[in-house]
Amino acid sequence: KFVFVKGEVRSGKTTLAIEVIKVINRIIQRKNQKIAKIKGINLNDKSIDTLLETLKGSDVLIERVSDMDIEVFIEFVQKLREEGKPRVVIFEDEKTLAEAYLEELPEEYNSFTNVIDIKLKEIRDWASIAENYAKERGYTIDAMGTLALSDQLKAITTVINNSHIEELIDEAIIDAEKFSVKRMFAKLFGKTDELTMLTEKNFTK
């Protein structure tokens, strides 16, 4: 079972690859399977037979597969096929490098993989998700607030996910409610149908 995972930098490729291995094992009802992570470049100077002996009983994640020599890749795949044992093998790399590498492979190796292409949401997509979450909380975001929110999203150094969005909106709401007498009275008398506006100052500290 070979899978190829490709995506942009910071798109969560490695995390997804590991989850894919776990899901496949659940489907085929295999438990407590080990996962070996290897950088592609480290396979170039190793005996594949010795490596497979070391990896006995483990699924394999090859990171940065484009660093593997094509000849080594072909030998590795052939040995795995000859092995005849159930094993999940995932090749992972950045999108452009992965696509260029796949094109270099001989035709019979070019089509054998299951390819997962990670599509990154752009900042505007996350801003839209933030607006929907804010609406669920009884708030809307004005234009300047959306710009300030987008700046905060750009500053996130890890892969953006829903928890980031919810945290930013929750913090902005806390900030807005500190100074909103109108909101306080609306809650007091149960009149919360009207959306309250989140503005730039609620997203800047």
Side-chain angles (χ1 to χ4, degrees):
K1 294 176 176 62
F2 299 99
V3 182
F4 217 111
V5 175
K6 55 193 176 86
E8 305 298 343
V9 177
R10 298 198 303 116
S11 60
K13 300 184 297 299
T14 300
T15 301
L16 177 63
I18 291 171
E19 288 304 313
V20 168
I21 291 174
K22 291 178 180 178
V23 167
I24 292 174
N25 277 306
R26 282 201 295 270
I27 291 171
I28 62 178
Q29 298 183 338
R30 254 192 333 181
K31 295 182 179 179
N32 303 318
Q33 189 74 358
K34 295 179 182 178
I35 301 173
K37 286 200 298 182
I38 308 170
K39 294 190 181 302
I41 197 169
N42 293 336
L43 274 71
N44 292 334
D45 57 358
K46 280 187 169 57
S47 161
I48 300 301
D49 288 324
T50 303
L51 176 66
L52 291 179
E53 185 64 28
T54 305
L55 295 175
K56 189 176 290 183
S58 298
D59 292 326
V60 185
L61 167 59
I62 307 296
E63 298 179 294
R64 190 81 175 203
V65 67
S66 63
D67 288 336
M68 283 179 71
D69 294 339
I70 295 294
E71 296 77 13
V72 174
F73 178 92
I74 291 171
E75 181 187 0
F76 184 59
V77 170
Q78 285 177 336
K79 296 283 187 181
L80 284 168
R81 284 174 164 167
E82 291 167 6
E83 196 181 33
K85 296 174 183 176
R87 193 199 293 270
V88 182
V89 181
I90 296 194
F91 301 102
E92 174 263 4
D93 213 328
E94 293 174 27
K95 182 179 173 65
T96 52
L97 295 173
E99 290 173 353
Y101 192 77
L102 283 168
E103 287 179 3
E104 286 184 39
L105 292 173
E107 189 173 343
E108 63 267 31
Y109 292 94
N110 201 294
S111 59
F112 82 102
T113 51
N114 301 296
V115 179
I116 299 176
D117 193 348
I118 301 175
K119 304 290 186 184
L120 269 182
K121 287 187 177 72
E122 296 186 6
I123 295 298
R124 63 173 176 270
D125 299 319
W126 286 116
S128 178
I129 290 170
E131 288 172 0
N132 290 333
Y133 178 69
K135 191 172 183 180
E136 290 173 9
R137 297 288 313 274
Y139 283 80
T140 187
I141 309 173
D142 70 7
M144 293 304 294
T146 299
L147 284 175
L149 169 65
S150 297
D151 286 341
Q152 286 207 22
L153 292 172
K154 290 173 187 174
I156 294 173
T157 56
T158 56
V159 180
I160 299 174
N161 56 46
N162 280 21
S163 64
H164 290 120
I165 300 300
E166 292 178 6
E167 183 178 345
L168 289 174
I169 295 300
D170 290 342
E171 288 178 355
I173 288 174
I174 290 170
D175 185 74
E177 290 188 343
K178 283 179 185 175
F179 307 102
S180 178
V181 176
K182 178 181 177 182
R183 187 73 175 175
M184 182 182 70
F185 277 103
K187 279 187 172 182
L188 185 63
F189 293 103
K191 298 177 180 179
T192 55
D193 291 340
E194 183 181 348
L195 295 178
T196 302
M197 187 76 70
L198 295 175
T199 65
E200 180 181 13
K201 68 181 179 65
N202 301 130
F203 293 98
T204 53
K205 301 289 185 286

